Amino acid sequence: MNRVRLSRRAAGAVTLAVSACASTARTTLDADVIVIGAGLSGLMAAQILEDSGLRVKVLEANTRVGGRVRTLLDRPETPESGGSEVGPLYARVIDQIEKFGLKQEPWKVDGLSFALNVQGTLMAPKDWPTSSLNRLPQPLKRTPLPALNAALLPKASGLAELDSWLEEARQGPDPSLRNHYAAAGADTEAMRYLSLLAQADDLSDESLLWARRGQKLLEWSRGRGSFTHIVGGMSRLPMAMAAALKGDVIMGREVRAIDSDDTAVSVACADGTRFRARFAVCTVPASILRSIAISPALPSLQSEAITAIPYGQSTSVFFAIKRRFWEDDGLGSSLWTDGAAGRAYFWEIPGGT
């Protein structure tokens, strides 16, 4: 988590923001700190605050902890509907896994192979370069579709350190991926496939600098270990973190407003309940923070960022496999498609397949 302290303000998204107030008798308050959101960030913040001797209450709108981590524990083979793989750079996550004695198993991706479904035609990747459907510019015709974006990005990130993207010198206007790809020779047909590889819903909403940051992470992580899964499901981690807290984790509390003055911070929920504390830490993503009224208002640049940060949409659908059909047709266990399905993966996870 990046930490930004905002005097007498509360904010969230990817930053941890603290709203301060003057000293108030602890007995008149519900807690020293109200943490909004019981995802990994909120639970980690609550743990750090309690370790510092503060009284903490965590408010969560959902009926479960974990946020964007969610194992479907009530479904066969317990599939992961949110973040699932633990990478070698996830130092805080790995530390928590070890702290609570959770077991990990390597992510089994060695056997992952893809078929292509382009404009409704199923084919092996080796057939794509000569397919009549391949209308990419000549320099890109032999590029595998899943790697089209990598072929058009700079070969090296150009960033000296993992956090170099935060340097003040890089805070000027940054080209969108659409503008960068166009300058690199991508035509309309290439853009159609490139848009399927973007994190945002539109290439104009995704930053070249953010893509270079991703490249730097890959450069730095090479040789530093493999990805893993938590045995029993990723949700076991936030459940363990929440259970270890001394203070309450209160479910079903959708925060609608955060008000602060010289005496306290007041957090109002949709069900009419209200909590008061010396500080508030908001860890919800910007897409949720937009719906929370904050008074006094945040500084203009932060308000603009919360309003303008784009988010992509994705939906996961899980299938029970009756027969390994890809072993019959030899086209691969997984599917890359330009249709509505997007991607279909054959995952081997500790709970099943």
Side-chain angles (χ1 to χ4, degrees), residues 176-212:
S176 70
L177 280 186
R178 181 176 294 280
N179 290 341
H180 170 76
Y181 290 147
D187 62 3
T188 302
E189 184 74 357
M191 288 293 189
R192 186 171 75 85
Y193 293 117
L194 288 163
S195 66
L196 303 175
L197 297 165
Q199 291 184 356
D201 287 337
D202 192 296
L203 287 172
S204 297
D205 289 333
E206 196 160 341
S207 157
L208 173 60
L209 180 58
W210 187 253
R212 291 170 63 192

Side-chain angles (χ1 to χ4, degrees), residues 167-174:
E167 293 168 355
E168 188 174 352
R170 302 185 187 279
Q171 292 178 9
D174 179 48

Side-chain angles (χ1 to χ4, degrees), residues 254-278:
E254 180 187 348
V255 172
R256 291 286 181 85
I258 304 170
D259 300 302
S260 61
D261 55 31
D262 290 336
T263 61
V265 180
S266 179
V267 177
C269 300
D271 63 357
T273 55
R274 186 177 290 271
F275 299 87
R276 298 176 75 248
R278 295 166 57 206

Side-chain angles (χ1 to χ4, degrees), residues 38 56 62 66 68 115 126 153 161 212 256 261 266 280 286 301:
V56 179
N62 221 314
R68 287 177 282 186
K126 65 180 179 61
L153 288 172
E161 303 292 344
R212 291 170 63 192
R256 291 286 181 85
D261 55 31
S266 179
L301 284 177

